[in-house]
Each structure stands twice: as structure tokens, then as C-alpha cells.
Amino acid sequence: MANVIKLRKGLEINLKGKAREKKTATNVSNVYGLVPENFVGVTPKVVVKEGDHVLAGEALFVNKAFPEVRFASPVSGTVTAVVRGDRRKLLCVKVQADAQQEAVDFGKKDVRALDASSVRQSLLEAGLFGYINQLPYAVSTTPDTTPEAIYVSALRDMPLSADFEFELTGNEDAFQAGITALSRIAPVRLGIGSKQSAAALTSVQDAEVYVFDGPCPAGNVGVQVNHISPISKGDTVWTVEPSSVIFIGRLFLTGKVDLRRTIAVAGSQVSDPSYTEVLVGTPLSDILSGRLSKTEHVRIINGNPLTGSVSDLAGFLGAHTSEVTVIPEGDDNDEMFGWILPRTHEFSASRSYLSWLMGKHREYDLDARIKGGERHLIMSGEYDKVFPMDIYAEYLVKSLIAGDIDKQEQLGIYEVSPEDFALAEFVDSSKLPLQKIVRDGLDILRKENA
């Protein structure tokens, strides 16, 4: 019987434009782009040049510190651009896809007959090892780490997030193969939601299942680690996004790298919110073609509204992105007496507006405005209402701002990732960029401990 963990702290934000459970075709793309920034903590080194021909599964760049960690091309084709920014920072590698796709054949393997070393080597060769993250530091992991456990969260509960059960349909065998492969390296702990009922999740083999019953952010893998087995300094656990588990399973079942994933195209500015099957690196212009209600005064987000990154139609689908969302920018919104109106159409976590009288199931069409300026104070107890981890979030943020590493370690910095503070950032009356503060703090701590 699965372990049930009930959470009380959190916040549900019911936004307009959630994707309906149907698939809509996306235009076939000519050019794909793999963005190194999607793999946090990796210093990329390009191993191809413009004009080179690559097969799907061949490396486009590697981790400079660990060259054996490769990052595979999602398609076969010709490298058309190696895009660099300031100080020659690698921004993107673009590949023009062949009309007839070819992939490197790494050979089918029986995952039950493999040991940990063989699984690691297979993932390294195929360019999929970099899709595995780790705690502490919330970065792409490296081959020199040995995890105490591997955590997979199949529960996505951020606003407008994609339902993994819908993506799982038709991919059950690949998901199970991926779980089994990972279990050869370390014990796998799968977190699911109390409303999820797919047999591939509830009856999965080679993993211990934990059921999380509670509001967002119960689906955050960091929250689940904190409630299952909190980590301390010196511990390391791996975390794997469920779509990446499918990528891994496909590798062993077919012998080829297949980076197809089903994503949600959602948001109030999307004319027909639905799902679509695309490759990692697909241009957002193709994903959103014919789907936008309007093209001006909108914010395109590579991810969900709380944790995703701001993008535009020239961007590419991120390696860990399970949804593309479009919401109003709010820069054309002029409100007379806005501060004094009852604002029944606006959402407020503190019941400052009368909208809470309309019921908790009402959908809100929120825009991207933060409605206020940054203030140099932190309201006592404000974060704790939506932060379900056994950590003093308020004091941890203060220690990060102050740069007090000793205090950060005492307050649990090794257990958190930026996404764990997304809701706290949303409700923060001081408008502090909490996710950036946590990310910067983790990066500094990682350098100090290197």
C-alpha cells in the first residue's frame, strides 16, 4: 500500500485557460534549438560547428567540467548556427532538420539485466544523463555523484501545468522501463497525487510510491524529498522529471534517443488550450502558430506562470518544459480608482479583494503585473502560509540576502530549489524576486563547496 502524506500549507491559483485533454497538431518545424541554459549548472562546450551534419542522439555540446556528459540533438540535420552572447556565452545550437530523420542506434537493452554502471554509461553515451538533476544545489547532476535515492514527481500542480497522466497515455512501457533503469542506480521514490489513478503510476514496479494529498506546491519534488527523507549537508539525491523518465525508457526499449513529449499549450490568451506532441527544442513560433488570441500585449512563458521563463516567438521549447503558457502582459491595462474598487475579478491570497466571495472554483484571468514596487522588508509569517516544507523560509531568505552561509546551512539551504519559493514569491507583499535570490545563493554555496 502506498504511503499517504497530507499537506495543509499551500495555495491553489485557478487560472483561466487550462488545457483540455485533447491533442492538437503542431506545424512540422524546420529548425530546432537546444539551449544550454535549460541545464542549470552546466558550463557548455560546443563539439560541432556550423555546417556539420548530426544524427538524432549525437552530441551538440558537452559539460566542460565533465566532457563525458553529452547533450544530444533532438533531430538529424545540419547545424545552421552556434549562437553566442556576451563573453561568447553559448546561447543556443540550431539544427535544420532533415526531411528523412535518422538516429544513432545505441542498441536495445534489457534494463533488468543491467547493473548501475551499465545504465550510467548508456545514459552518458546517448546524451541523456544531463536530464537528471540533483539536490543539493538544484543543478544538473554529474557522474561523480552517488545518490542515496532518486526522486520522481508525477504530480504537476502549478497553475496551468500539464497533467502528466495525459502525457503518460501510450507511454506506460517507456515510463516503467525508465523507472526500472534508474532503480539499478539507487532506490526510486515516486510521488503522485491523491487524484491520480493511472495503473502505470499506482502499480509501478521497482519504485516506492508516495501519495501526496494537499494544495500546490505538493507536486514540487523538493517538497516531496523534504517530507519523505530530508537531506543534510553531504547527502546527494537525484531528481528526474517524469518526461525525462520516458526519454530514458525509450532509449533502452528502442536503442534510440527520442525526445518527444506531450506539452500543454495553455493560458487565457490561447484560443484553444490543448495538448500537443513536440520535440525538445521545437520553436515556440510553431507551437503557438494559429493559437494566439492576439499577438500584442501578451506574455509568452516557457513553462508555467510561476516558475517558467519569459520568452518570445523566437524561443525554443525548454528541455524540462511541460507547458507553454500565454497570459496578458497588463501593460495596456488602465484602471480608474483601481485601488478602491471591490475587484471581484481579481485574485487575492489575503482576501484583500471581494473575489473570495465568488467561490474557490472561480477562474481568474491574471496578467503579468506585480502591482507594486520592491520593498526592503519581509513580512513575518507571510511565506509560512504557503510553504509546506519543514524549513523557516523567512529566515532562510534573510540569510541568503545577507550572504550568511553558516546560517543558510543551519536553516536547510541544501534541501531547497528556486521553484519551492514560487508561491512565496507570488504572495510576497514586498515583491522580492525570491526565486532569483535562492538561485544566486545556491550558486554561491556550490562554488564555496567546490
Side-chain angles (χ1 to χ4, degrees), residues 34-36 39 42 44-48 59-63 69-72 90 93:
L34 197 63
V35 180
F39 305 98
V42 170
K45 178 183 178 182
V46 185
V47 294
V48 294
L60 297 179
F61 55 87
V62 299
N63 187 344
V69 180
R70 307 167 185 172
F71 296 88
L90 181 62
V93 180

Side-chain angles (χ1 to χ4, degrees), residues 299 327-330 366-370:
R299 176 166 294 193
I327 62 175
E329 184 66 52
L366 302 187
D367 56 43
R369 292 175 296 163
I370 62 173

Side-chain angles (χ1 to χ4, degrees), residues 339-392:
W339 59 273
I340 203 170
L341 294 176
R343 303 176 75 86
T344 56
H345 63 290
E346 294 283 354
F347 178 84
S348 173
S350 60
R351 293 190 174 184
S352 298
Y353 309 146
L354 296 182
S355 55
W356 67 274
L357 294 172
M358 305 300 174
K360 64 180 180 180
H361 297 297
R362 178 177 179 174
E363 292 184 334
Y364 295 90
D365 185 11
L366 302 187
D367 56 43
R369 292 175 296 163
I370 62 173
K371 299 179 181 177
E374 184 175 323
R375 303 174 182 88
H376 297 284
L377 55 91
I378 295 176
M379 297 294 291
S380 296
E382 195 168 44
Y383 304 159
D384 292 338
K385 296 176 182 178
V386 298
F387 195 81
M389 301 173 71
D390 189 19
I391 288 174
Y392 293 111

